[in-house]
Amino acid sequence: GVVEQNGEGDLPCLHTPIDCHSAGGMDQTICRRASQIRLYKQHAKDATGPVFARHVGDRLYRGEYFVLQTDAHMTFTLGWDEGIIQQFKATNNEYAVLSTYPTEVEGSLDAHGQSKRKTTPVMCKTEFLGSGLVRHGSAQEIYPMFGPSPVLHPFWAAGFSFARGHFALRVPYDCCLPMLFQGEEIEVAVRAWTHGYDFYAPRSSVAFHPYNRKSKPHMFWENSNRHRGEAQASAGRAARKIHMASGGGASDRNGDGSGTGSEVDNRLRYGLGTKRSAEDFFQVFGLDIQSKKVTKNLCAWSGSGNMHRELTAHMRPDKRGIDYTAWWEHEGR
């Protein structure tokens, strides 16, 4: 599934040097795989941010066994698909989500399309925003230490996320968060965690991102004048929904106050799960919602591998996620 938000003069996402119907055209990967590609086009001037675009992307899902979400402008290693599937299997966790901020592409690939990097980027830095949501800092590069297994870490990244296909069904992007950017990832992370999913940094990077481009692409916030107040409203809705602001709490599983009809349907579809609570997520990973402070050194905990060792020791017997009840008991809660 491809969501294309192009402006005037931009090349189409499915552009090929040779027309697919011309001589030699079918030798091109896009032409050969055309029947497997689903494309949604929206003009850049109508873009309202990544959440709606990714919501559309989720709606292009058609039951595939695995689902990958990725930013544009990414460069993948040769054989990345087989590699990431093997890494997923190495977690021994049906509810694993391999997700992180990819490493800078410059200097990352050799002449054969293979990664030159020996480290993996772990997400552990975060800070509170005025909305009550959090914004993550750059990933910390560490050396993998658990054989072929990816490394457990606390957060989820929108730019690279690989999981079983049921992730797109159980944690679909909210349809109704226009102009939201900061806070997008924690909104999905808390919802996913309460549905039983666990986040891992890939053991070996299979995709890289060009952070240092000389020519920056246009961004959706260039349309802000047409959407005044929507970013703040969306941040409030997201924060209430995952219990990071007043108006949403343990007694209001899906947050966002009261409502009827389609509003209630949306909250149920895009709300929290029932396997774990949002409050437990905050306690495990040291996010103090009242003081808006991070109370644990997450980089030391995850970067040392101790988070992985301590938590994965309590994998459920059916391999469907970590049993935090067992971990709480072990910790003496």
Side-chain angles (χ1 to χ4, degrees):
V2 180
V3 179
E4 177 182 289
Q5 295 180 318
N6 280 357
E8 304 301 333
D10 290 336
L11 284 176
C13 290
L14 303 187
H15 169 79
T16 55
I18 304 172
D19 184 273
C20 289
H21 302 292
S22 299
M26 293 305 293
D27 293 335
Q28 301 166 113
T29 301
I30 287 179
C31 299
R32 293 199 310 273
R33 300 289 187 178
S35 64
Q36 296 174 264
I37 301 172
R38 295 178 287 275
L39 176 67
Y40 177 89
K41 293 185 178 182
Q42 180 184 40
H43 198 283
K45 65 180 177 60
D46 297 321
T48 58
V51 177
F52 181 74
R54 288 168 175 148
H55 163 77
V56 173
D58 282 344
R59 295 182 67 168
L60 297 176
Y61 175 72
R62 293 294 182 273
E64 289 80 5
Y65 194 81
F66 290 108
V67 61
L68 170 71
Q69 176 175 293
T70 181
D71 277 344
H73 313 292
M74 300 280 275
T75 301
F76 286 78
T77 59
L78 188 65
W80 69 270
D81 47 354
E82 294 179 351
I84 200 67
I85 290 172
Q86 290 305 312
Q87 292 189 55
F88 177 88
K89 291 179 178 178
T91 66
N92 289 311
N93 185 352
E94 169 77 6
Y95 278 56
V97 184
L98 278 56
S99 180
T100 194
Y101 291 151
T103 302
E104 163 64 39
V105 66
E106 187 174 351
S108 292
L109 295 167
D110 64 20
H112 305 289
Q114 299 299 324
S115 174
K116 295 162 59 178
R117 302 289 183 179
K118 304 300 181 183
T119 58
T120 185
V122 167
M123 295 174 63
C124 56
K125 304 171 187 174
T126 197
E127 62 181 358
F128 277 87
L129 302 168
S131 64
L133 299 169
V134 297
R135 170 179 58 201
H136 304 319
S138 58
Q140 172 178 284
E141 297 280 346
I142 69 166
Y143 287 96
M145 58 197 80
F146 302 104
S149 175
V151 181
L152 192 77
H153 63 175
F155 301 127
W156 177 88
F160 184 89
S161 174
F162 182 84
R164 278 293 314 278
H166 48 67
F167 184 81
L169 298 176
R170 293 185 174 130
V171 198
Y173 259 82
D174 195 323
C175 65
C176 307
L177 295 175
M179 306 307 286
L180 181 68
F181 182 67
Q182 302 292 358
E184 166 199 2
E185 292 170 323
I186 194 66
E187 191 269 348
V188 173
V190 173
R191 289 172 54 214
W193 197 84
T194 64
H195 278 279
Y197 292 96
D198 302 305
F199 312 124
Y200 297 75
R203 192 259 179 233
S204 302
S205 293
V206 300
F208 301 93
H209 189 77
Y211 295 102
N212 301 315
R213 285 169 287 178
K214 294 181 180 179
S215 178
K216 300 294 184 181
H218 292 288
M219 299 294 183
F220 74 92
W221 47 70
E222 295 173 22
N223 301 330
S224 295
N225 287 339
R226 299 169 53 203
H227 300 278
R228 294 185 184 278
E230 292 182 13
Q232 183 176 0
S234 293
R237 169 183 164 91
R240 291 191 299 274
K241 187 167 54 169
I242 60 172
H243 304 178
M244 295 191 78
S246 59
S251 62
D252 178 15
R253 173 163 295 280
N254 297 299
D256 218 20
S258 61
T260 59
S262 62
E263 292 180 1
V264 172
D265 291 341
N266 282 342
R267 290 200 302 275
L268 292 173
R269 179 164 177 74
Y270 307 122
L272 300 176
T274 58
K275 293 192 174 181
R276 305 163 178 161
S277 72
E279 288 68 30
D280 279 350
F281 177 89
F282 305 141
Q283 187 166 353
V284 170
F285 299 117
L287 303 182
D288 189 322
I289 305 306
Q290 299 304 316
S291 67
K292 291 183 169 53
K293 293 181 179 179
V294 182
T295 62
K296 290 187 177 181
N297 187 336
L298 294 175
C299 287
W301 192 22
S302 60
S304 65
N306 287 334
M307 178 184 293
H308 184 101
R309 293 187 190 93
E310 293 171 19
L311 298 182
T312 60
H314 301 285
M315 189 69 63
R316 297 180 185 278
D318 61 5
K319 307 301 182 185
R320 294 185 177 184
I322 294 169
D323 183 355
Y324 279 86
T325 302
W327 183 74
W328 288 124
E329 292 173 353
H330 183 266
E331 293 295 300
R333 174 175 168 177

